[in-house]
């Protein structure tokens, strides 16, 4: 189960398109956003550990997204 709620994904789609959103579309977007977020977080964590830190910083997230 994704950590991003389906309702949040629904709002993202509605705000971006102005259209109604099917439950299956919101569920799929939530799942995909969750996977993308986990990949970025894992990369940022590796960068923080490499720098000898126990804290993930904004710069780690920015580098992980590149």
């Amino acid at each position: 189960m994704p950590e991003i709620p389906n309702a949040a994904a629904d709002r993202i789609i509605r705000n971006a398109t102005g259209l109604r959103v099917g439950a299956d579309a919101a569920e799929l977007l939530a799942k995909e956003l969750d996977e993308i977020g986990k990949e970025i977080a894992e990369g940022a964590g590796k960068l923080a550990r490499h720098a000898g830190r126990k804290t993930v910083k904004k710069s780690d997230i920015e580098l992980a997204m590149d």
Side-chain angles (χ1 to χ4, degrees), residues 50-65:
H50 180 72
R53 291 185 272 107
K54 292 183 179 181
T55 302
V56 174
K57 294 184 173 185
K58 177 184 173 186
S59 59
D60 298 322
I61 299 290
E62 290 171 339
L63 284 172
M65 289 189 329

Side-chain angles (χ1 to χ4, degrees), residues 29 33 35 38 47:
L29 181 62
L33 290 173
E35 288 299 317
K38 283 180 184 176
L47 291 166

Side-chain angles (χ1 to χ4, degrees), residues 4 7 15 18 20 28 34 37 44:
I4 296 174
N15 289 339
R20 293 183 296 177
L28 182 58
D34 192 61

